[in-house]
Amino acid sequence: MCSNSIHNRTWSMEQVEFFVSPEGKVYFDQGNGYEPFKQDDREIIAFILFKLHEFYQPTFDKLAELYAKSKPNKWYFEYKIASRFIRCNFGDLDKLTFDINFGALNFEEVRCPLRGICDYEGIICKPKLTIAINPEEKKVAKLYAKGSTISDIAMTLQKSVCTVDNQINNVRIKLGLNSCREIIKYFNTNNLTF
């Protein structure tokens, strides 16, 4: 059975849409209209930092290096990291897919004048997932993301249905998703191919 707890912390982050103005200011909407993103928006900041630590460690490391001078002021330091990550990955005003959707991050192709020549492309913008999904979980998740049922996967890989179900659930937990069906959307949205 899929649960909603990640490392004994249940995240209430449901649906958030970010928008970056032409002047570079970050705004967010949780269903009540757009508000400026500030350093006292601690729940969003904590959620993004958690995701960076768990799934995109090189991204966090590079952002921490870039904003190291701000480190003595912890809240400002964390805000700078979260703000830059948002600007590089969620800046377009897009109501088709929430940028944070029940725990999943849905990256966007953000328009940037440095696209293709930025030293941080693939690190800060469009980062690579760095979680430890083992090879067997990868096989199962890949088939599941392509739309195969648990029974089909079990038959294809000559595993028990219970084993496949457990491996899909492990992937869900490692990705920080609320339901196993979100794996399909997560893989497709983030272009994960293994």
Side-chain angles (χ1 to χ4, degrees):
M1 170 84 41
C2 293
S3 76
N4 188 24
S5 181
I6 302 169
H7 300 294
N8 299 321
R9 168 73 164 109
T10 301
W11 293 98
S12 60
M13 194 63 47
E14 292 183 358
Q15 294 179 315
V16 181
E17 178 65 25
F18 295 103
F19 168 67
V20 178
S21 73
E23 298 80 31
K25 286 195 59 122
V26 176
Y27 295 86
F28 71 96
D29 180 11
Q30 289 182 296
N32 301 320
Y34 282 93
E35 303 174 36
F37 181 61
K38 303 179 296 288
Q39 72 179 12
D40 60 347
D41 291 314
R42 300 306 302 163
E43 183 180 17
I44 293 173
I45 293 168
F47 176 81
I48 289 174
L49 293 177
F50 170 79
K51 287 291 191 174
L52 292 177
H53 275 292
E54 290 294 310
F55 308 118
Y56 304 97
Q57 189 64 48
T59 304
F60 177 83
D61 294 343
K62 181 52 72 178
L63 287 166
E65 178 186 318
L66 289 173
Y67 298 111
K69 289 181 182 177
S70 302
K71 200 167 186 174
N73 182 341
K74 182 182 178 200
W75 278 27
Y76 185 65
F77 173 69
E78 291 176 348
Y79 163 77
K80 294 290 282 182
I81 290 172
S83 179
R84 173 71 178 268
F85 185 72
I86 291 166
R87 282 185 279 128
C88 289
N89 294 290
F90 309 119
D92 285 343
L93 182 56
D94 170 21
K95 286 290 191 172
L96 298 175
T97 305
F98 288 97
D99 298 325
I100 297 174
N101 193 28
F102 296 99
L105 300 179
N106 296 309
F107 296 133
E108 298 169 342
E109 183 72 33
V110 177
R111 283 167 278 187
C112 177
L114 299 177
R115 180 73 62 222
I117 60 169
C118 179
D119 291 337
Y120 305 121
E121 195 163 329
I123 299 170
I124 295 174
C125 64
K126 299 167 75 172
K128 306 277 187 284
L129 197 62
T130 57
I131 58 170
I133 295 176
N134 71 45
E136 291 302 311
E137 291 168 343
K138 287 179 185 181
K139 286 181 198 173
V140 167
K142 187 174 182 179
L143 291 170
Y144 191 71
K146 288 182 177 180
S148 296
T149 66
I150 291 173
S151 299
D152 292 340
I153 296 168
M155 191 179 332
T156 300
L157 299 178
Q158 299 180 349
K159 296 180 179 214
S160 74
V161 170
C162 185
T163 298
V164 171
D165 188 52
N166 285 338
Q167 289 174 326
I168 289 172
N169 192 43
N170 289 343
V171 171
R172 181 205 55 84
I173 291 168
K174 289 176 181 181
L175 292 175
L177 302 174
N178 291 323
S179 76
C180 293
R181 296 301 289 169
E182 288 180 18
I183 292 171
I184 296 167
K185 184 176 180 184
Y186 193 93
F187 274 62
N188 293 332
T189 302
N190 294 294
N191 298 317
L192 299 178
T193 57
F194 293 123

